[in-house]
């Protein structure tokens, strides 16, 4: 887990929202945890979420149970989460020029993912939610996911730019450009149902639940 000092880079626009939870990582699975009761958290039930200070305090006091903060995307604040999978090499550098171009295209907050090989962009705007292009099928060499609701990112605070004052900015043109990189099939992008979302990296078996 990163030092809590890293969280100083998290923008105020995120810290002001009551969209926080924690994460426990077990057997490679990312498990969202409610700081209210220490149980598996829902990304669609706001009673499971907390303000930033409460989530950070829970993380500090329960390091044996959780390892990271998490931020929920939900209706109401126009916050979009963009996840580029497998876009950084083992040394943390972009794998190709397209990744570099994407980072340079926007000034919004972007941080390294918990794996160290991906990037998370937090940007204000509008988009379909649940858009997904896997690394295996991507013509770009990296995967792309776009979320507007019913999704929670692990927050590392590991700012890619390390700017003194990071911010979530409105950048609809950037969102539209990223979406344009996801191939369209049968006149629509590939999506999955975020109202009953159960993607691979937040799958939670009964066995894992019992270990909380």
């Amino acid at each position: 887990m990163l030092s809590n000092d890293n969280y100083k880079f998290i923008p105020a626009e995120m810290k002001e929202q009551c969209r926080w939870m924690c994460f426990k990582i077990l057997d490679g699975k990312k498990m969202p945890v409610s700081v209210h009761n220490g149980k598996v958290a829902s990304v669609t039930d706001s009673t499971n979420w907390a303000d930033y200070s409460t989530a950070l305090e829970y993380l500090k006091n329960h390091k044996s149970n959780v390892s990271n903060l998490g931020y929920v995307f939900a209706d109401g604040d126009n916050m979009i989460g963009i996840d580029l999978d497998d876009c950084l090499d083992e040394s943390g550098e972009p794998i190709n020029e397209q990744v570099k171009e994407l980072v340079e295209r926007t000034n919004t907050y972007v941080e390294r993912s918990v794996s160290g090989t991906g990037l998370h962009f937090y940007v204000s705007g509008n988009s379909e939610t649940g858009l997904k292009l896997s690394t295996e099928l991507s013509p770009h060499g990296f995967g792309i996911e776009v979320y507007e609701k019913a999704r929670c990112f692990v927050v590392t605070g590991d700012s890619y730019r390390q700017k003194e004052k990071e911010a979530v900015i409105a950048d609809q043109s950037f969102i539209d450009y990223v979406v344009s990189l996801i191939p369209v099939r049968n006149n629509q992008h590939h999506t999955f149902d975020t109202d009953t979302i159960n993607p691979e990296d937040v799958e939670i078996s009964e066995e894992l639940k019992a270990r909380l």
Side-chain angles (χ1 to χ4, degrees), residues 100-114:
K100 292 181 182 179
E101 190 272 337
L102 281 169
V103 173
E104 293 170 356
R105 184 177 278 263
T106 183
N107 289 318
T108 202
Y109 178 59
V110 55
E111 65 176 28
R112 291 177 180 84
S113 64
V114 70

Side-chain angles (χ1 to χ4, degrees), residues 135-150:
T135 301
E136 293 74 18
L137 298 177
S138 174
H140 315 298
F142 54 88
I144 304 172
E145 299 177 20
V146 181
Y147 299 99
E148 179 266 340
K149 63 179 180 180

Side-chain angles (χ1 to χ4, degrees), residues 25 43 64 68-69 77 80 84 95 113 118 123 133 141 147 179 188 191 195:
I25 300 177
V43 295
S64 63
N68 297 88
L69 291 174
D77 63 0
I80 302 295
L84 301 188
I95 61 168
S113 64
V123 56
L133 172 64
Y147 299 99
V179 170
Q188 63 182 10
T191 66
D195 290 328

Side-chain angles (χ1 to χ4, degrees), residues 10-17 19-20 71-82 108-109 121-129 146-151 153 167-170 175:
I10 298 174
E13 293 87 352
M14 295 170 63
K15 291 180 176 179
E16 292 168 355
Q17 300 295 325
R19 299 281 175 82
W20 294 89
Y71 185 86
V72 182
F73 298 96
D75 290 329
D77 63 0
N78 294 322
M79 186 89 73
I80 302 295
I82 295 173
T108 202
Y109 178 59
F121 294 76
Y122 296 81
V123 56
S124 182
N126 296 284
S127 176
E128 293 180 72
T129 195
V146 181
Y147 299 99
E148 179 266 340
K149 63 179 180 180
R151 179 67 166 182
F153 279 180
V168 175
I169 68 169
I175 297 170

Side-chain angles (χ1 to χ4, degrees), residues 52-64:
Y52 173 77
S53 296
T54 301
L56 183 60
E57 189 66 21
Y58 185 90
L59 175 63
K60 290 178 178 178
N61 295 330
H62 296 81
K63 290 183 178 179
S64 63

Side-chain angles (χ1 to χ4, degrees), residues 16-35:
E16 292 168 355
Q17 300 295 325
C18 191
R19 299 281 175 82
W20 294 89
M21 53 177 62
C22 286
F23 266 94
K24 180 170 187 162
I25 300 177
L26 286 172
D27 301 334
K29 304 290 187 181
K30 303 187 187 87
M31 181 183 296
V33 174
S34 171
V35 304

